[in-house]
């Protein structure tokens, strides 16, 4: 699948704004996408009283660092666990999304295939990097990370740079039988 992705240079970031993708989380069933991802990715879930979608506490085995993080809903604590766009919005913008219709950008923004609950500070360090400039510090997760990026980019027609393709191929050479996630 990596070899089927278009290889081009980065387009300028001109005109990029996060709000051009969505003005907030969409819904999956009765949950907003953020809570849906927390429910999918965390364990030891404790729901807010009377709720089936708003998580009060949980436990994340962070794929990016391998650390176990206790999630506690609240202004001072929720930032410990963030929802990462595996293919960053800005990266997608510079590699094709600036040409998309709004509906496709909203779908990309809210697609569970492109979303992971992760360690907040590590997500911040990743920022809008692609695989050529950032990989998870947890080396045992790199194949899964790169495979997920490739799956997302293939699904939405996001291209890769030459350096990014080389970096992805280097990671995948260590796990040639790794399957792409479905979504």
């Amino acid at each position: 699948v990596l070899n089927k992705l278009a290889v081009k240079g980065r387009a300028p970031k001109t005109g990029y704004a996060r709000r051009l993708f969505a003005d907030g989380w969409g819904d999956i069933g009765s949950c907003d996408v953020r809570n849906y991802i927390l429910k999918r990715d965390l364990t030891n879930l404790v729901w807010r009283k009377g709720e089936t979608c708003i998580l009060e506490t949980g436990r994340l085995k962070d794929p990016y660092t391998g650390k176990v993080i206790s999630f506690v809903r609240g202004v001072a604590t929720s930032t410990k666990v963030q929802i990462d766009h595996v293919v960053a919005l800005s990266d997608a913008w510079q590699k094709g999304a600036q040409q998309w219709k709004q509906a496709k950008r909203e779908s990309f923004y809210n697609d569970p295939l492109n979303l992971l609950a992760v360690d907040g500070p590590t997500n911040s360090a990743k920022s809008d990097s692609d695989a050529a400039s950032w990989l998870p510090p947890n080396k045992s997760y790199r194949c899964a990370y790169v495979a997920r990026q490739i799956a997302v980019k293939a699904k939405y027609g996001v291209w890769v740079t030459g350096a990014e393709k080389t970096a992805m191929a280097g990671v995948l050479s260590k796990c040639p039988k790794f399957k792409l996630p479905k979504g």
Side-chain angles (χ1 to χ4, degrees):
V1 176
L2 175 59
N3 288 329
K4 292 179 183 176
L5 296 178
V7 179
K8 302 180 187 181
R10 257 182 209 279
K13 200 171 173 178
T14 308
Y16 169 75
R18 188 177 184 92
R19 66 177 163 65
L20 294 173
F21 284 82
D23 60 1
W25 296 114
D27 292 322
I28 297 177
S30 62
C31 278
D32 66 77
V33 173
R34 181 178 190 277
N35 281 294
Y36 177 89
I37 299 301
L38 290 171
K39 182 178 177 179
R40 181 194 72 187
D41 294 353
L42 276 64
T43 60
N44 299 356
L45 307 176
V46 175
W47 303 103
R48 181 177 283 171
K49 187 172 173 83
E51 296 283 346
T52 59
C53 185
I54 299 176
L55 196 61
E56 271 306 313
T57 64
R59 196 167 146 148
L60 173 69
K61 180 154 192 313
D62 176 46
Y64 289 176
T65 64
K67 296 187 302 189
V68 174
I69 302 166
S70 293
F71 170 83
V72 178
R73 182 173 300 279
V75 176
T77 56
S78 286
T79 56
K80 288 182 179 180
V81 174
Q82 295 177 3
I83 307 301
D84 180 35
H85 285 92
V86 176
V87 175
L89 304 178
S90 172
D91 182 54
W93 182 264
Q94 295 172 77
K95 297 174 183 170
Q98 73 278 26
Q99 304 297 323
W100 298 347
K101 294 188 183 316
Q102 182 62 32
K104 185 173 181 179
R105 286 197 294 262
E106 286 179 20
S107 178
F108 179 85
Y109 184 91
N110 286 292
D111 189 337
L113 179 63
N114 192 31
L115 299 170
L116 283 176
V118 299
D119 174 62
T122 304
N123 184 40
S124 295
K126 174 194 166 211
S127 186
D128 62 357
S129 299
D130 64 21
S133 53
W134 188 89
L135 290 169
N138 178 9
K139 291 180 181 177
S140 68
Y141 189 72
R142 288 182 178 176
C143 287
Y145 176 77
V146 167
R148 186 172 290 266
Q149 282 204 330
I150 291 167
V152 170
K153 289 187 176 214
K155 180 176 181 178
Y156 288 92
V158 176
W159 68 74
V160 294
T161 64
E164 181 180 12
K165 182 176 181 179
T166 299
M168 288 174 152
V171 169
L172 294 178
S173 71
K174 297 176 177 96
C175 50
K177 295 187 189 290
F178 202 89
K179 303 264 188 238
L180 291 185
K182 302 217 186 293

